[in-house]
Amino acid sequence: MTNGATAVLLTGAVGAGKTTLATEIGEQLREANVSHAVIELDWLAWCMTPSRDAQARRRLVLENLACLVRNYEAAGIDRFVLVGSIVSDQHLAAIRATLDRMKLKVVRIAAPAELLVERVERRDVGRLTLGSTEQAAAFIATARAAVPDCVEIDNSSDNINATARLILDQIGWSEMNEPR
């Protein structure tokens, strides 16, 4: 992987709005004619392996990420918007190692526990949910502990466009006038 490529990893608790913001960031980059790829890490192992081994699925995410990035770079793409909940420092280290020398900026998307529960219940009707506000708060604490040194962006408002722009400003991608 090349030294010129950069990535942002949007992380945070379930319901924080990571995927929604990544989609909006992708739209803003597209409108500015900036080459990029948006990659939802969970989708890279949306499968059931024969062994049902969680470790095998984690390896699959990393192997698929490496292949995707390599293919996108071959097509001239050098900005990557990654989305996924990071649950440990080992998890983040594995992603960094997979990206090799690529510069990675981590942005934690935050929202109050009550709002996370509300969003997940609205989104995942009839499925597993976060449960209680206490469970959501515990998940937030785990996500914070996994990536303590990163930019944190509050996503409590309904203005996704403005929040995405704020993220682009924070990571230094707001100069989107020229394709890279």
Side-chain angles (χ1 to χ4, degrees):
M1 294 180 209
T2 63
N3 286 325
T6 61
V8 60
L9 171 60
L10 303 182
T11 189
V14 174
K18 301 176 299 292
T19 302
T20 301
L21 284 166
T23 302
E24 178 60 27
I25 288 169
E27 285 300 310
Q28 289 185 23
L29 292 170
R30 183 188 59 74
E31 289 169 6
N33 200 31
V34 174
S35 65
H36 69 283
V38 177
I39 302 172
E40 168 59 80
L41 298 177
D42 286 345
W43 282 92
L44 300 183
W46 197 276
C47 63
M48 181 55 68
T49 60
S51 67
R52 299 178 188 247
D53 178 19
Q55 289 290 73
R57 288 174 41 115
R58 282 191 275 279
R59 283 191 303 276
L60 194 56
V61 167
L62 298 173
E63 290 166 6
N64 286 339
L65 177 60
C67 290
L68 279 174
V69 168
R70 188 171 43 252
N71 290 339
Y72 282 132
E73 284 184 320
I77 293 170
D78 63 355
R79 291 193 193 198
F80 297 88
V81 180
L82 308 177
V83 184
S85 290
I86 302 302
V87 295
S88 71
D89 54 348
Q90 295 89 358
H91 187 196
L92 180 58
I95 291 169
R96 284 189 190 281
T98 299
L99 296 174
D100 197 18
R101 295 175 304 276
M102 187 183 298
K103 185 174 182 179
L104 176 66
K105 299 173 184 182
V106 181
V107 176
R108 182 176 29 255
I109 308 303
E114 300 80 15
L115 183 56
L116 298 179
V117 171
E118 176 187 319
R119 286 177 177 168
V120 171
E121 287 175 350
R122 190 175 12 170
R123 180 187 76 193
D124 297 342
V125 175
R127 296 189 198 151
L128 292 176
T129 64
L130 274 175
S132 69
T133 302
E134 292 78 21
Q135 288 170 312
F139 195 95
I140 292 168
T142 299
R144 274 206 177 104
V147 189
D149 300 319
C150 68
V151 173
E152 183 169 298
I153 301 289
D154 179 69
N155 190 29
S156 298
S157 83
D158 290 331
N159 192 340
I160 297 301
N161 184 284
T163 305
R165 248 183 279 126
L166 177 61
I167 292 168
L168 289 168
D169 288 343
Q170 289 289 317
I171 64 173
W173 287 8
S174 55
E175 80 303 336
M176 300 179 297
N177 300 326
E178 298 289 324
R180 292 184 56 185

